[in-house]
Amino acid sequence: MSSTSPSSGSTTLATAPGTVLIRSAADISDLVNSGTARGQHAKMIVIIALGGIFLDAYDLSSLAYGLPDITEQFGLSSAMAGTVTASISVGSLVGALVGGWLVDRIGRYRVFMANMLFFVVTALVCALAQDVWTLIAARFVMGVGVGMDIPVAIAFLAEFSRLRGKGSKGSRTAAWSPAWYTATSGCYLVIMLLYFVLPDAQLGWLWRFTVGFGAIPALLVLLLRRRYMNESPTWAADQGDLEGAARILRQSYGVDARVADDVPAQAPRPPRPGLAAYARLFTPPYRTRTIQSVTVGLAETFGYNAVAFGLPIIIATLMTQGPLTTIASSFALNLLFALTGGLLGIRWASTRGAWPMMTLGFAIQFVAITVLGLIAAPSGTAAVTAGILMLGAFMFAQGFGPGAHIMSYASLGFPTSMRGVSIGFNQAVLRLGSTLTLFFFPILSSGLGTDVYWVILAAPVLGLIALLAKRWEPVGFDADAEERSSSARLAAGQCQN
């Protein structure tokens, strides 16, 4: 009995029915990419990876509504309030750079397990903080955990999924978007429930309960990770550990994979990437992909943080609505618009691709922000309703467009050997943009009022320019096969010389 691996052309022989012999890292990659390797255990790993992203979003969103209370309790200026909101983004910038490098250097599993402790401990410290500097420090460390988690979570989503079709890499990396909006919707649901449960005199403590609650799902995800998580088989094979990769296929996919007797189980190990690995992002063919992914990512994160994170400020201050309307509207916009868009982004990823959805999403956001700018300060029920619907349109477009597919651009155009670095670098730059947005948005919204919409309009404009400059489709692209082909051509050229 024999079988031919789907894309590399290499041949693997089976010694018994259902047994597949592994001869190279390409065989491991081909088994995963073709969808031949399937299993409930692998699906559980994908769910747990999305659970990490859920926590990232919850922790980033948990202070959105409570910022006015924090400002009042600690007597903060606008600049210090911006420092509180931006501290988690500064931490995530550091975490993304270090975490992206570690993901490629020591593996996905080790980083995945370590960073959960950040979420449990820091959520409790934030909730109990008695001064603003303790709060800022705890949010910064929490951000380090968030920054480390995203590169490893997205790497898992890409490396435990087939290349095309249902459950593809494109669909599963796009799944980070609905996971994110489920978390933000859940955060506002927690806020709403606490709003009704807490006595009026204790509502100023609502933000503490909301932030502290994040420790509970973090502990649950940590326990699930200990039970179900495994290393990425493609990363293990890429490190020369074919025996380890075959074992992961047996455990996580139910594939009886064995290393052929004539192949060393431990192939020569490639040099471990140092921090200089980031320089590879700016060499052909990755340079253009890196620049485009960072540019659309900056546009996405600026628009998202200004509108989605700023929803309570926009609704309460610019639209002059009361606290219950602000909470209910923020919850509904995340659940009904953003989450729905994110679910459609998963469905459309493998059939329509990332580029068309990103372009359409930015175009809708351009229209929505323009209308909000023209409405300005709404007076009357009709104008307020129209403004909230425009916010909904922005969030819906974010869900299926730029929100869903920035991770596709950051991860699927890069091979396993540098996927962590590519996501880490992308996230670090995005977190810099996020930090500046979170710091300056409260200041700009209070200083410019409704004219702040014209500043936000720069986000979809930048995104459209970056996408129209070069049509590049990452969904369905096999970056590992491209790397192997390039290495083979380079080796052949050296032999000829």
Side-chain angles (χ1 to χ4, degrees), residues 58 61-70 72-73 123 126-128 135 186-214 312 323-324 326-328:
Y58 183 93
S61 305
S62 56
L63 282 188
Y65 178 79
L67 189 58
D69 289 325
I70 294 171
E72 181 180 346
Q73 287 175 25
C126 285
L128 299 173
L135 179 62
C187 182
Y188 283 113
L189 180 60
V190 169
I191 292 172
M192 188 182 301
L193 292 174
L194 289 171
Y195 181 84
F196 287 111
V197 170
L198 291 175
D200 290 345
Q202 301 299 322
L203 285 178
W205 289 63
L206 191 151
W207 69 270
R208 294 184 182 273
F209 288 103
T210 305
V211 174
F213 183 82
L324 185 57
T326 299
I327 298 172

Side-chain angles (χ1 to χ4, degrees), residues 93-104 147 151 273-283 286-287 290 414 417-429:
L93 187 158
V94 175
L97 282 175
V98 176
W101 168 62
L102 287 175
V103 162
D104 287 340
L275 291 177
Y278 284 101
R280 189 181 173 196
L281 295 171
F282 296 93
T283 61
Y286 307 116
R287 182 191 301 117
T290 298
F414 303 87
S417 62
M418 59 186 299
R419 184 167 287 124
V421 166
S422 67
I423 301 170
F425 177 77
N426 181 275
Q427 283 295 299
V429 176

Side-chain angles (χ1 to χ4, degrees), residues 176 293 296-298 300-301 358 362 398 401-411 426-427 430:
W176 89 284
S293 69
V296 296
L298 282 172
E300 183 276 340
T301 198
M358 289 270 279
F362 278 127
Q398 176 77 8
H405 296 296
I406 56 166
M407 293 304 181
S408 299
Y409 273 82
S411 62
N426 181 275
Q427 283 295 299
L430 266 57

Side-chain angles (χ1 to χ4, degrees), residues 324-411:
L324 185 57
T325 301
T326 299
I327 298 172
S329 298
S330 298
F331 171 69
L333 288 170
N334 276 278
L335 183 64
L336 300 179
F337 290 91
L339 179 58
T340 301
L343 292 173
L344 289 174
I346 297 175
R347 185 178 182 87
W348 291 336
S350 57
T351 57
R352 290 170 171 80
W355 190 91
M357 293 297 96
M358 289 270 279
T359 305
L360 178 61
F362 278 127
I364 292 175
Q365 289 182 342
F366 177 86
V367 173
I369 296 300
T370 300
V371 173
L372 283 167
L374 294 174
I375 292 176
S379 58
T381 303
V384 171
T385 302
I388 290 178
L389 286 176
M390 286 301 100
L391 290 173
F394 184 98
M395 300 289 283
F396 178 72
Q398 176 77 8
F400 76 75
H405 296 296
I406 56 166
M407 293 304 181
S408 299
Y409 273 82
S411 62

